[in-house]
Amino acid sequence: MKLVAAALVAVAASWMLAGSAAGQAAEVRVVVNGVDVPLAVPAVVFNGQVMAPMSGLFEPMGAIAAYYETDRSIVVTNRVRTTLVLWLNETAVLVNGQPQSLPVAPALLGSEVFVPVQATFALLGAWARFDEAERAVFVNSQITGITPQVASGALQVSVDATGPVQVETNVLSNPDRLVVDFINATLRTQGRQYAVGEAGVDRIRTAQFQVKPFISRMVFDLNQPVEISITSAPTSYLVTLQVRPRGAAPWQAAGNGPNASPLTPAGPVKVTAVGFQSDGQAGRITVDSTGPMEYKIREFAFPDRLAIDMQNAVFIPVKREISVDGTSVVSIRAAQFTARPPVTRIVVTLKRKLNYVVNRSAGQLTVDLNTNMAARGHLVAIDPGHGGQDPGAIGPSGLREADVVLDIAMRVRDLLARDGIRVLLLRDSDATVDLEDRPRLAREGGATLYVSIHANASPRAAVNGTETFYLTPQSLVLAQMIQDELGVVLGIPSRGIKTANFVVLRDNEMPAVLVETAFISHADDELRLRDQAFRQHVAEAVHHGIARFLAIYPVPQQAP
Ligand SMILES: [Zn+2]
């Protein structure tokens, strides 16, 4: 480590010298939204500013960064289209075109671009602090606004954040309340209360519930049982909570008045059965019990799953794996999670992130998955690049791009079709289709989404990996979702998402991306592209990315 540091100093900016002089201290960790970012080379501290290599730094904040050698600029953009432009060795920075300044200039060390962590994230609206004692810089999404409003008997709370937030819901008894936690999120407005008096909710209290890790908490004081649904917006960091009184149920109809809580378990409740009913892309999980249960639901990613914890609940059927034949769920496992206190846990592994609605009655908890079914109205155009007279790029051992991408495209079509999503395949044989015709064919066919599949080529034989291109703002999220999946499963370098002025992206009004699956010009990547299993992995990753996007992207209004 010392040797590496010494080598870096030779080409370093002045802050590097200071950083290594203070160097006996432990390495500095960079923790962004709870993710301990793996750093290619160690971060250093200069003038209180943590300087860290930029690769991988911004993704946990839902942002992406690119370094442009031509003008030595670093461009950082996020989902709400905040754009920062920084330059090497300059403290000037543009924030959405407005000049501001950084306390320390970015610098190039070896092949790594270092950026000032707290300052850069602060310009994205994030909360960032360097904890001297822990030798770690903590960066969180900030919750900037909470807006409750009541409409047609339901309470809708819009929660605005500066980055992605992870939501946990928790229903507690005595008194009845609903707790919604935002993990790794900092609350900008402290300790507010909102009087509601409708939709089963008396008031909402908000607080910074915990630091390390940060948890922002909203407590809904209830006067009757409610159900809640949570949706995340595709093109912003807005989370919408909808709370409404639960439909009349036997134990509520007993007429004990709004404040008489029927949720007073005497001793642990017994969970007697867990079931799943599939309805195409939607599905319902049912949990039967001998009495009302308190529950907590956590969301996890990679793979997407829900953990449903039933508090004070003993699981009677020893351990269960429920067979699932739906297209939205991979598996459901239920078991006694802890004996003391008794917690029953149900883990639902999803094929992608889904919206869900929870409903609780005295003897049953139901979790409805994917209730909006938005994806079914979509028509996905899949464009296998090249074909016919145009073989595309040809690998060192003779593999033709046109053949590989057709096979992958047909696999993507089959996977989407299995979900009940309609697909328009722009060629299904080795046929010539003019490039200029492809976006038009998609548009005339009624497509709502466009995914072009290619294999990459470079004059430099050593270049490999996967990357996804987009051009228009509405395509960024789709590109990011597909590239996220490819990066996780393919086992080759993820080169990230990039903009490019390709015809199929430029002449397209719908969200449109071009996936460069791997480099056919790279001998090992070509070998992978020959492999059926690798092609299937690519197709599954593209399918997952599309499915994630469709789950949150509404079908556009039909043109008149
Ligand atoms: Zn191509």
Side-chain angles (χ1 to χ4, degrees), residues 3 33 51 102 126 131 208 243 304 370 470 539:
L3 279 178
N33 277 339
M51 302 295 293
L102 297 165
D131 187 323
Q208 191 71 59
V243 180
D304 287 306
N370 202 27
Y470 71 99

Side-chain angles (χ1 to χ4, degrees), residues 25-30 39 42-45 50 130 134-137:
E27 276 180 21
V28 176
R29 292 189 302 135
V30 180
L39 301 175
V44 294
V45 185
V50 173
F130 177 51
E134 286 204 34
R135 300 289 297 165
V137 57

Side-chain angles (χ1 to χ4, degrees), residues 384-386 390-393 401-402 405 452-457 514-516:
H386 315 279
D390 170 16
E401 179 187 355
V405 298
S452 187
I453 297 175
H454 285 251
N456 222 334
L514 187 147
V515 180
E516 292 283 8

Side-chain angles (χ1 to χ4, degrees), residues 245 305 365 455:
R305 56 205 194 278
L365 185 83

Side-chain angles (χ1 to χ4, degrees), residues 358-382:
V358 185
N359 209 324
R360 181 178 67 158
S361 68
Q364 194 178 63
L365 185 83
T366 59
V367 181
D368 288 316
L369 299 169
N370 202 27
T371 49
N372 62 7
M373 311 277 284
R376 279 185 183 175
H378 281 285
L379 176 64
V380 180
I382 303 286

Side-chain angles (χ1 to χ4, degrees), residues 515-535:
V515 180
E516 292 283 8
T517 52
F519 277 77
I520 201 166
S521 53
H522 181 274
D524 290 346
D525 272 12
E526 185 197 22
L527 211 59
R528 292 184 179 98
L529 287 168
R530 279 190 187 279
D531 178 28
Q532 302 287 315
F534 183 81
R535 291 180 184 185

